[in-house]
Amino acid sequence: MAYLTVRDLSLGYDSHEIAGGLNFTVEPGDYLCVVGENGSGKTTLMKTLLHLRAPIGGEIRIGDGLLPNEIGYLPQQTVVQKDFPASVREVVLSGCTAGMGLRPFFTKEEKRRAAEAMERMGVAALAGRCYRDLSGGQQQRVLLARALCATRKILLLDEPVSGLDPVVTAELYELIGELNREGVTIIMVSHDVAAAVRYASHILHIGETVFFGTRDEYRNSAIGRRFLSQRGEAEP
Ligand code: ADP
């Protein structure tokens, strides 16, 4: 059974529908990119998958042993988050809080998990530094380490490369690709459709036309060809 099975999902605010007719599945090990025009509802979909918003209609079933608190989330960064006055270690450890209940301290096991996640993301040497003093790329690595503290099953990433320069962007895409190859299931919102068809196994395109399929099916679809060529990424 799939981690996520989405049927006839309709999204929006105050019963005003922003996107509808969404049908897709996410299997363990998949790398799903969610693409579409600005304002088409990609971030709203992430929040709905996380149960932070109720859907207007349809259903989201989770399965294959996945628990709701095993979905890691890397939200789109706001200016306030970029300025967060905590150390890298504290930011990463805060990813462990889902399992903490009312306990006001971290266990040895949680500290070990945080150290391992920082190591994996190449930010262990920055552990004592203040988060807000880091570069944008370093901050994203720290947030990835934070999300990995919560889970290694599935990560939802909302525009993880926005505002980063091309070199740092490529490094981050590689890192996310490696995590996927290690078995972490990825759902990533991206405005960069070229990167989406390069890295993802599956594409969900939302907007007036909805598409879900493998990246090759997307490349060969009418909507995929149109969207790629609009963005100057026409496929040969
Ligand atoms: P995308 O991520 O594809 O750019 P969003 O999911 O952020 O799109 O937004 C989809 C639409 O929902 C936009 O028209 C946006 O203005 C609207 N929207 C976003 N957040 C809210 C909110 N809290 N209340 C009402 N409308 C919202």
Side-chain angles (χ1 to χ4, degrees), residues 12-231:
Y13 297 91
D14 304 324
S15 74
H16 168 67
E17 183 179 89
I18 286 162
L22 305 184
N23 288 284
F24 62 95
T25 51
V26 180
E27 306 277 350
D30 280 357
Y31 186 151
L32 173 68
C33 260
V34 182
V35 301
E37 302 288 351
N38 276 341
S40 58
K42 301 182 293 297
T43 295
T44 306
L45 172 64
M46 292 295 115
K47 291 181 178 166
T48 309
L49 292 178
L50 288 159
H51 296 283
L52 299 173
R53 297 207 62 82
I56 292 180
E59 65 167 343
I60 302 167
R61 262 187 287 146
I62 81 170
D64 211 3
L66 182 70
L67 301 172
N69 68 1
E70 289 178 322
I71 303 178
Y73 183 41
L74 195 142
Q76 226 171 20
Q77 278 218 69
T78 64
V79 175
V80 176
Q81 284 161 345
K82 282 187 204 295
D83 218 17
F84 197 62
S87 73
V88 164
R89 184 181 291 107
E90 286 167 330
V91 171
V92 174
L93 265 171
S94 69
C96 294
T97 52
M100 276 181 83
L102 294 173
R103 181 162 45 81
F105 56 86
F106 293 98
T107 63
K108 261 193 190 155
E109 161 59 19
E110 286 163 343
K111 288 181 187 162
R112 190 197 57 74
R113 247 193 300 149
E116 195 179 288
M118 284 190 282
E119 196 64 49
R120 180 65 196 87
M121 291 300 105
V123 292
L126 306 174
R129 294 266 302 275
C130 189
Y131 173 78
R132 69 178 165 201
D133 296 338
L134 304 183
S135 70
Q138 287 170 329
Q139 288 188 338
Q140 289 302 76
R141 283 168 180 262
V142 170
L143 293 181
L144 272 174
R146 179 181 190 275
L148 284 176
C149 263
T151 180
R152 285 195 61 91
K153 283 195 178 172
I154 179 165
L155 296 183
L156 268 55
L157 314 173
D158 195 348
E159 300 275 13
V161 301
S162 81
L164 303 181
D165 70 47
V167 172
V168 177
T169 293
E171 284 172 4
L172 212 62
Y173 279 139
E174 280 306 320
L175 196 57
I176 294 165
E178 280 170 23
L179 285 177
N180 178 245
R181 288 191 286 279
E182 288 168 17
V184 180
T185 304
I186 304 285
I187 302 181
M188 180 167 88
V189 169
S190 179
H191 65 272
D192 181 352
V193 67
V197 293
R198 190 169 328 127
Y199 292 98
S201 61
H202 293 76
I203 305 284
L204 173 68
H205 183 120
I206 62 179
E208 274 175 32
T209 308
V210 174
F211 175 96
F212 171 69
T214 64
R215 71 168 172 197
D216 288 336
E217 287 165 351
Y218 182 68
R219 277 197 186 115
N220 293 322
S221 70
I223 178 70
R225 284 170 183 273
R226 193 161 70 237
F227 204 56
L228 278 157
S229 70
Q230 270 172 12
R231 299 229 169 345

